[in-house]
Amino acid sequence: MKRFIENEGIIKHRVAEVAGITPSAFFRFLNGTSSMKSSNIEKLNKVWPEMIAYALNIDPFIAKTAKELDKRLSEK
């Protein structure tokens, strides 16, 4: 995830804020000093599925497309 954030130029604090995760917990995870709760991973996946996909070595485009399709279907 850290590499994805750096490659995309995303501000780490913003990732935590938008996902509803405490910045300290997120920073500890990124620095490897703590693990992340599955509930926080779920929160991240709702906001940035492409980041989670990247971390799992899945093409981020697939996750982003799935998110967009899901959004369109829920609007109908």
Side-chain angles (χ1 to χ4, degrees):
M1 280 191 229
K2 191 173 185 177
R3 186 175 293 151
F4 179 86
I5 291 168
E6 291 168 356
N7 289 345
E8 295 295 315
I10 303 168
I11 299 169
K12 295 173 193 170
H13 190 275
R14 181 76 177 138
V15 172
E17 180 183 357
V18 171
I21 301 169
T22 62
S24 60
F26 188 61
F27 295 153
R28 283 192 309 268
F29 171 73
L30 289 178
N31 292 328
T33 58
S34 178
S35 60
M36 187 179 292
K37 294 179 185 178
S38 61
S39 60
N40 286 344
I41 294 172
E42 289 175 17
K43 289 176 185 178
L44 281 170
N45 192 49
K46 286 182 182 178
V47 180
W48 274 289
E50 59 273 22
M51 182 186 325
I52 301 299
Y54 184 88
L56 297 173
N57 204 25
I58 300 170
D59 185 349
F61 178 76
I62 294 170
K64 189 173 183 178
T65 303
K67 179 182 175 184
E68 291 169 2
L69 288 173
D70 189 43
K71 183 179 176 183
R72 287 185 203 160
L73 291 173
S74 66
E75 291 174 352
K76 289 185 178 187

